[in-house]
Amino acid sequence: RQFLLMSMNLGIVGVTSLLGGIGLFQARRKATVIVQDIAIPNLPIEFQGLKIAQISDLHVGPTIKADYARTIVDQVNALNPDLIFFTGDMVDGSVDRLSADVEPLRDLKSKYGTYFVTGNHEYYSGAEQWVSKVGELGMIHLENEHRILKQGEASLAIVGVTDLMAHHTIKSHKSDPQKAMRGIPDDMPSIMLAHQPGTAEMTEGLAIDLMVCGHTHGGQFMPFNLAVAKAHKYYAGLYRQEKMQVYVNRGTGYWGPPLRLGIPSEITLFNLEIDEGGLS
């Protein structure tokens, strides 16, 4: 009996060590590029084939440093995107501590620029300072507002909202999709950046074609992903909420200990196309 008990304990330690090693390897290796076609009924022909790279939940901090950020930047730039979306949780720490580690993000390259929205972790780490830093890094911060991307006579609205919990730290940062969409014609295609997929519940009556989010990490490791799937209506990949499509990035970095198991870090590459079936 003692021998069986010792053997079982050694087996548990061995399996745990093996899974921990695999999880560490998967957390630290290059992010997986997931290509996702998005069909939009009213997309102007000028934006057919537009390529958008999304990164989210990089969590530069105690264990994710400049070297990993540089790897992600190189991967994104190699995709030659027209647009880059960064949907929050860039950091876990203050500007003073992490300024050098986020510096590689300055080199993100795309035709129309990088758009950024805050995640909940920015509000744990000095959101106002990080918003200023994001601007210094050359990103366009969207705080419940939008920008119109023009291509000849064609237009595409890029919309961004603050994190769902932002108002608990800074009242003026309360997430407001209605405000962000104000002034956009209903027939103009629009893409909304929001850190938490729960923001989709606040968009009733708004003509949004695609919402891109992060926050959930897709569960980050198995079997925790099963609990995350129960906690979030949308937790990984592509969904549809009536006419709006919702995409949840599984996280480009990781949170907490360097561990990913069965759910790799993700860079998403969206290809926009016209939904011929949705045209009248």
Side-chain angles (χ1 to χ4, degrees), residues 205-276:
L206 297 177
I208 302 168
D209 293 287
L210 171 66
M211 175 179 286
V212 296
C213 314
H215 183 63
T216 67
H217 297 214
Q220 192 162 308
F221 54 87
M222 301 171 63
F224 184 63
N225 59 311
L226 301 177
V228 172
K230 285 186 175 294
H232 295 273
K233 183 178 180 180
Y234 309 129
Y235 87 102
L238 185 65
Y239 304 85
R240 182 173 287 276
Q241 179 174 291
E242 297 181 352
K243 293 183 178 180
M244 179 175 69
Q245 297 174 78
V246 179
Y247 189 88
V248 185
N249 179 292
R250 296 165 181 81
T252 311
Y254 55 83
W255 181 75
L259 178 65
R260 274 191 176 271
L261 193 59
I263 303 164
S265 300
E266 174 181 339
I267 296 169
T268 317
L269 183 65
F270 298 106
N271 291 314
L272 299 193
E273 55 188 35
I274 300 170
D275 183 357
E276 302 287 355

